[in-house]
Amino acid sequence: GDSVTQMEGPVTLSEEAFLTINCTYTATGYPSLFWYVQYPGEGLQLLLKATKADDKGSNKGFEATYRKETTSFHLEKGSVQVSDSAVYFCALKPPNFGNEKLTFGTGTRLTIIP
Amino acid sequence: DTAVSQTPKYLVTQMGNDKSIKCEQNLGHDTMYWYKQDSKKFLKIMFSYNNKELIINETVPNRFSPKSPDKAHLNLHINSLELGDSAVYFCASSLRTAPYEQYFGPGTRLTVT
């Protein structure tokens, strides 16, 4: 079945550091890929997405590129801020119409210290 | 202009009770979902409805019964609550067409004592 593997957390970085959170997936065909962010006490918010190979999703300084050859969708940000502290989830949706199920990774807790 | 709303935000109850969580979306979406997030933050889909029709029903105890009176509402009723039901329950909605973005509600934290 489909699965998403994220790097284990927690991740602690200093402000302005470079961030990478690894995400790899197992799925048939070309799934849609997503990064969601969950701030403390809140629901999940869609951060960015990519729907086909080599697509780059970007939002709020975060980027992720859909790499079919390595089945990866790593999240990056050049300079993190304290306000980026949250839990980040990688997720996929199968390509076939009628299958709306999102499969999530286990989440990576990110803490940014001033 | 809340997009996906859930009530209540917190629910504390005793084992054996029956409780309901309500969800409403004003995004014009045709598909709604219930997810369960455990204490380790792991998220798993439970149910999904499209235009009031059940389309996803994962392996969930039959004490959990979703109901969708219309495509803007999805409720979750839980009978005979158990300690292991303690979790955060999220409602989400989307269109059943690309780009398949799901929008989440703020969650309901259920604590069973």
Side-chain angles (χ1 to χ4, degrees), chain B residues 4-110:
Chain B
V4 182
S5 59
Q6 293 178 230
T7 53
K9 189 166 174 62
Y10 300 97
L11 189 50
V12 181
T13 189
Q14 292 184 327
M15 282 175 54
N17 285 349
D18 303 338
K19 289 293 177 187
S20 292
I21 307 171
K22 295 180 186 290
C23 178
E24 177 180 359
Q25 56 93 5
N26 63 4
L27 296 168
H29 290 162
D30 56 6
T31 306
M32 296 184 72
Y33 312 80
W34 279 114
Y35 287 86
K36 179 179 179 181
Q37 186 176 48
D38 63 22
S39 58
K40 291 185 167 36
K41 298 287 192 186
F42 184 66
L43 267 164
K44 194 167 191 311
I45 191 163
M46 301 171 69
F47 302 103
S48 177
Y49 272 77
N50 173 257
N51 283 325
K52 302 193 294 178
E53 180 188 348
L54 183 66
I55 56 171
I56 295 175
N57 185 355
E58 293 291 288
T59 309
V60 176
N62 58 14
R63 297 182 295 103
F64 289 78
S65 51
K67 279 197 173 56
S68 182
D70 55 60
K71 68 178 186 177
H73 296 85
L74 179 62
N75 303 324
L76 182 66
H77 187 76
I78 315 171
N79 288 328
S80 303
L81 278 154
E82 300 177 358
L83 293 176
D85 298 332
S86 295
V88 181
Y89 292 84
F90 287 102
C91 176
S93 71
S94 73
L95 287 173
R96 209 181 184 190
T97 53
Y100 308 112
E101 297 172 9
Q102 292 188 18
Y103 291 80
F104 284 74
T108 296
R109 182 175 294 277
L110 171 65

Side-chain angles (χ1 to χ4, degrees), chain A residues 85-108:
Chain A
S85 298
V87 181
Y88 291 81
F89 293 90
C90 186
L92 72 79
K93 184 210 153 321
N96 45 314
F97 176 78
N99 188 346
E100 284 69 36
K101 181 176 154 181
L102 274 183
T103 297
F104 285 89
T106 51
T108 302

